[in-house]
Amino acid sequence: MIEGRHQIKPRLILAVLFSLLLTGQTAAQCILTAEVGRLVEAMESAMARPDGISSSDAADLYRRAQRVSPPDVADRLREAGYPANTHAVDMLIREARTVAQNRLVMSQNVTRLRLRRVEKLRERVCAAEARLEMAGNGSKTHGGAGPSGDEAGLFTGSGGAGNVALRLGMVPVTLVSVVGTIYLMRLGYVWIFALLFNRRKCWVPARLKIGVDVIPGHMSILGRKGCRFQPESPELSLRMEAQAPCIDAHLIVNHLVLPARLEAVHEGFGVVYFGGMLGPGTQKSLLAKSRIEPTLVPKSTPRPKHARTRQPRRSPMGRPETSGAD
């Protein structure tokens, strides 16, 4: 658990924003058919009411299901170069009729699956049209003529040079999407870690005992696995660094003594692991002693610049432990 400042790189932020912008523009401008879009809205509204929908809402839902034309959807698919397979839409229509008749969504999971499949179909059609437009082969809109043979070849592998141009044109968009997804996954991970281990920014008076040396300071971040210990002065930080790493340390808060391990020193603060994971009650009592309001902070793992490279000191009865840093 090597602590450090959580920094968000500007380039990654721009990549995510650009990816979301592309997605938002596609969703706002591209639909399967207007009738399918209205049916999806009504189904989502019904799902938001687990206790059931009114008779008027049920009647409206049934009308919307009746107005969806699978042949129109099939034409839309053919325009984008896809087989005219309307199974996902057919299943959503059937589900909507069932919900309207019962005035209740019987299975949230089933209904969510129906909606997800229709949304995936819409995304594929819209992405296909975007690729056609980027490749310079002309964009198709709902109600227009079907694709030419050359355009259909872009999806069947018979498009020759046009197919190559299409794939090359999609490379930047694909890279942006991948980078954006990776960044969002990383951001989600650090916050999930913070929630699981309840990492809190605080300012709790404490002392770090290393052998016979006792260093006064504060815990500036406290989690269930360990803490960040900040000595009271730069001189004390240097004294702590000279003894790191050390497996025979103790963290003292008032009359509470916690077995601990000084893992490393980074920019003046010590990375400290507890001998065992703190219980929620113990952590709560420690945070109650904070001189500032404890706030949740994400996990971050920079490489310590001032960690000592020598072997950890051995206790008289034990062996050095592995760091287990996460």
Side-chain angles (χ1 to χ4, degrees):
M1 184 181 69
I2 298 177
E3 310 279 2
R5 295 179 180 177
H6 177 63
Q7 297 178 345
I8 301 176
K9 297 182 179 180
R11 291 182 181 177
L12 288 178
I13 295 178
L14 292 176
V16 173
L17 291 177
F18 182 57
S19 177
L20 294 176
L21 178 61
L22 289 176
T23 304
Q25 288 179 340
T26 300
Q29 299 174 2
C30 181
I31 58 175
L32 273 175
T33 68
E35 291 76 14
V36 172
R38 285 190 282 268
L39 178 59
V40 168
E41 290 177 358
M43 288 294 286
E44 290 175 343
S45 177
M47 288 186 64
R49 300 174 184 175
D51 295 331
I53 59 178
S54 65
S55 57
S56 60
D57 288 338
D60 178 66
L61 177 60
Y62 191 85
R63 284 193 298 268
R64 294 192 187 197
Q66 292 296 96
R67 288 171 183 167
V68 175
S69 172
D72 288 348
V73 177
D75 290 341
R76 185 84 165 91
L77 294 172
R78 280 190 290 266
E79 288 173 3
Y82 279 94
N85 186 345
T86 63
H87 178 71
V89 176
D90 294 337
M91 295 302 294
L92 181 63
I93 294 173
R94 185 181 303 175
E95 181 71 14
R97 290 171 179 167
T98 301
V99 172
Q101 291 171 357
N102 296 324
R103 294 174 53 184
L104 180 68
V105 176
M106 303 302 294
S107 172
Q108 291 274 337
N109 291 336
V110 171
T111 303
R112 190 177 295 110
L113 177 63
R114 306 285 190 234
L115 290 169
R116 187 181 301 122
R117 287 177 175 172
V118 171
E119 174 61 18
K120 186 174 295 185
L121 184 63
R122 185 199 67 79
E123 289 176 353
R124 289 176 179 174
V125 169
C126 295
E129 290 186 341
R131 287 195 294 264
L132 285 171
E133 185 175 355
M134 291 179 61
N137 291 325
S139 61
K140 301 296 179 181
T141 58
H142 180 55
S148 66
D150 290 340
E151 289 169 341
L154 291 173
F155 299 95
T156 61
S158 60
N163 195 14
V164 175
L166 167 63
R167 293 177 181 177
L168 290 177
M170 285 302 296
V171 169
V173 177
T174 302
L175 288 176
V176 167
S177 299
V178 169
V179 171
T181 300
I182 291 174
Y183 174 74
L184 290 176
M185 290 175 62
R186 167 63 180 170
L187 192 61
Y189 163 72
V190 298
W191 280 105
I192 289 173
F193 185 95
L195 290 169
L196 287 176
F197 295 100
N198 199 24
R199 299 181 72 254
R200 301 279 175 169
K201 182 178 180 180
C202 58
W203 197 247
V204 179
R207 292 171 292 162
L208 182 63
K209 183 178 180 182
I210 307 173
V212 296
D213 191 7
V214 179
I215 300 174
H218 296 81
M219 290 187 289
S220 58
I221 291 181
L222 174 63
R224 296 186 63 192
K225 293 177 64 177
C227 71
R228 177 186 296 183
F229 181 78
Q230 184 69 57
E232 289 185 346
S233 68
E235 292 76 15
L236 292 174
S237 295
L238 291 175
R239 199 166 87 194
M240 177 178 64
E241 181 181 353
Q243 304 179 76
C246 176
I247 64 173
D248 294 323
H250 292 83
L251 192 72
I252 305 172
V253 182
N254 291 347
H255 300 294
L256 179 64
V257 180
L258 299 171
R261 178 174 85 249
L262 176 62
E263 181 72 16
V265 176
H266 176 72
E267 296 182 351
F269 66 79
V271 178
V272 177
Y273 283 112
F274 300 132
M277 189 173 295
L278 292 182
T282 301
Q283 186 185 21
K284 184 177 180 180
S285 66
L286 290 173
L287 290 173
K289 298 177 174 61
S290 175
R291 295 179 178 176
I292 64 174
E293 182 68 24
T295 55
L296 196 67
V297 291
K299 170 184 170 65
S300 54
T301 55
R303 187 180 183 87
K305 298 179 180 179
H306 305 295
R308 306 290 291 186
T309 57
R310 62 185 175 86
Q311 294 295 321
R313 297 193 306 174
R314 296 175 179 267
S315 64
M317 302 298 295
R319 296 182 179 180
E321 300 176 10
T322 58
S323 65
D326 42 42

